[in-house]
Amino acid sequence: MTLVTAFAAVAACGSDADNSAAPPAAGPHSMHAGASSAPPQSLRAGERFLDLKMAEAYTPTAPEGGGTDEYRCQVIDPGLTKTAFVTGTQFAPENVAIAHHAIVYAVPPDRAALVRKQDAMTPGLGWQCFGGTGVPGADVEGDDQGATWVDTWAPGATETLLDQDIGFKLGPGSLIILQIHYNLLATDGKPAGSDRSAVRLRLTDGTPQTRELETWSLDAPTDLPCAADESGPLCDRAASIADVTKRFGPDVGESADRQVEECNPGGVPKPGNIQTCDQKVPAPMTLFAGFGHMHLLGRAIKVELNPGTPNAKVVLDVPQFDFDNQRLMKLPSPVEIGPGDTLRVTCTHDARLRRQLPQLKKLPPRYVVWGDGTSDEMCTGIMTVSPRKS
């Protein structure tokens, strides 16, 4: 269990979106249309804007074998020559007709070469990606950690803005990755023009009192069997793990059993819709915010502090998970935690959603385990924290 330094992670504390209602009941993967972002708030003392744009326009196309969605990652070099702190972000879609949602990632200097290699080996602008950056060693989950989730945009989102003397450190040589979900449903899978979207970072040099934020990823197993009326070769857990291993390699393929060993008493899988995992807090820290990450079969996610005790507290609750609206939720006030405390993440998935989603309903049924693909799942509570000395 490690704390990962967030170079520009989920900078949404204090944003309008933080205090919004739960995702609409349209479902866990609503096909909403694009919309423009609102103007940013004025700069505060010591802040400056850095406007970044895709290197060139990109024309999305339907994936091979049919479908109406493309997930494309593209790298942008912010060109920083000195360290700065990110205090706000705003994604600006150009082609709002097809820009369905977007995620902004940051990659530290020591992982930048991995991203440039991935970009160079893929024809055209950027590369295909889904649950993360798609770059081994510079991703946001599991053993491939090395990038940080900066922000998520969905239609109607405003600028995200930190409202305390805290920030996410962005070092010289860091890279920004934009993952844009292009939804071609309205055009029957045909191209609907090009897109050259942008993102604006709000930067500051920080002060001697600025608290540097980090992210702590709380993972639980995914052991979601096929629905009662489904059958097929991949409905067997071992066969599904072998398939994930074939697609993503042994590091990802071993995740299912490794998480079961870490989270379940006796290391025995517990097939079902609901999975949990308890993690001990390793050091003193302040908890500021968090958000949940699952894939298309996710229904709900929750993170609890010291469950089952008189001091129990829910610190993250997403009762209607929406893959396209994975928003960071600011705590009403910071919470101090430390050794002796426990955080529990609980995820609810639903295999029946497979029949409703264009990305999944043509795929064979499977016993869903942890993996990076569209048909795989994850269960992660990503918490925004700042270490403290005591």
Side-chain angles (χ1 to χ4, degrees):
M1 180 170 61
T2 59
L3 289 174
V4 184
T5 301
F7 285 82
V10 238
C13 296
S15 73
D16 294 339
D18 295 342
N19 300 316
S20 62
H29 192 61
S30 56
M31 294 300 176
H32 48 244
S36 300
S37 298
Q41 299 183 39
S42 300
L43 287 168
R44 299 168 296 190
E47 291 182 330
R48 60 190 181 276
F49 285 132
L50 176 61
D51 290 308
L52 304 174
K53 182 176 282 191
M54 290 163 48
E56 59 187 83
Y58 176 72
T59 301
T61 58
E64 295 182 8
T68 58
D69 298 83
E70 181 181 11
Y71 297 82
R72 195 79 180 180
C73 279
Q74 299 163 48
V75 62
I76 302 175
D77 187 348
L80 295 179
T81 58
K82 63 177 183 177
T83 297
F85 291 88
V86 175
T87 55
T89 59
Q90 183 169 20
F91 177 78
E94 182 188 60
N95 191 337
V96 297
I98 58 174
H100 191 271
H101 88 282
I103 301 173
V104 183
Y105 301 100
V107 179
D110 64 341
R111 305 299 176 96
L114 298 173
V115 175
R116 294 192 183 280
K117 180 180 178 181
Q118 176 73 34
D119 193 27
M121 64 186 287
T122 309
L125 184 66
W127 60 94
Q128 297 284 344
C129 56
F130 177 68
T133 68
V135 182
D139 216 327
V140 292
E141 297 289 354
D143 296 331
D144 286 337
Q145 290 181 6
T148 304
W149 195 307
V150 178
D151 195 14
T152 299
W153 171 87
T158 57
E159 183 192 22
T160 58
L161 189 63
L162 290 163
D163 57 3
Q164 302 183 51
D165 190 11
I166 54 179
F168 298 93
K169 188 176 179 182
L170 188 64
S174 297
L175 298 176
I176 298 295
I177 293 177
L178 291 184
Q179 182 208 77
I180 304 177
H181 170 196
Y182 295 109
N183 180 8
L184 306 176
L185 187 62
T187 61
D188 295 323
K190 299 178 182 178
S194 63
D195 174 69
R196 193 181 180 194
S197 292
V199 63
R200 168 175 282 182
L201 302 181
R202 185 184 290 252
L203 302 179
T204 178
D205 292 335
T207 71
Q209 291 75 39
T210 299
R211 294 189 65 176
E212 183 178 341
L213 296 176
E214 300 177 351
T215 55
W216 183 13
S217 179
L218 306 172
D219 299 336
T222 299
D223 271 287
L224 182 64
C226 289
D229 58 350
E230 293 179 326
S231 63
L234 292 178
C235 287
D236 175 75
R237 184 178 188 271
S240 183
I241 292 177
D243 177 68
V244 169
T245 304
K246 180 180 179 181
R247 287 184 285 130
F248 301 109
D251 287 344
V252 178
E254 294 169 359
S255 295
D257 288 335
R258 182 170 62 251
Q259 290 171 346
V260 166
E261 292 174 0
E262 294 174 352
C263 298
N264 296 354
V268 179
K270 297 180 179 179
N273 294 342
I274 301 176
Q275 301 290 332
T276 67
C277 189
D278 290 355
Q279 294 197 28
K280 300 293 185 182
V281 178
M285 63 185 75
T286 305
L287 178 60
F288 287 96
F291 71 96
H293 176 58
M294 297 186 286
H295 289 176
L296 304 181
L297 301 179
R299 280 290 194 186
I301 184 169
K302 179 169 61 177
V303 176
E304 303 167 89
L305 175 64
N306 297 323
T309 73
N311 298 322
K313 184 183 186 70
V314 176
V315 295
L316 173 67
D317 190 11
V318 185
Q320 290 179 303
F321 178 79
D322 186 340
F323 179 81
D324 299 317
N325 193 16
Q326 300 178 62
R327 295 298 184 82
L328 182 133
M329 301 173 66
K330 188 180 72 170
L331 274 62
S333 59
V335 175
E336 304 298 336
I337 58 177
D341 290 325
T342 297
L343 287 173
R344 173 181 295 170
V345 59
T346 301
C347 286
T348 303
H349 295 91
D350 189 348
R352 296 173 299 177
L353 294 174
R354 191 158 36 220
R355 303 169 186 168
Q356 304 174 25
L357 303 176
Q359 298 94 328
L360 299 179
K361 62 183 181 180
K362 293 184 179 179
L363 299 178
R366 67 169 55 240
Y367 186 116
V368 182
V369 295
W370 184 282
D372 296 340
T374 310
S375 60
D376 308 311
E377 267 301 339
M378 292 183 177
C379 171
T380 303
I382 300 179
M383 311 309 295
T384 302
V385 304
S386 180
R388 69 177 194 274
K389 295 181 180 179
S390 61

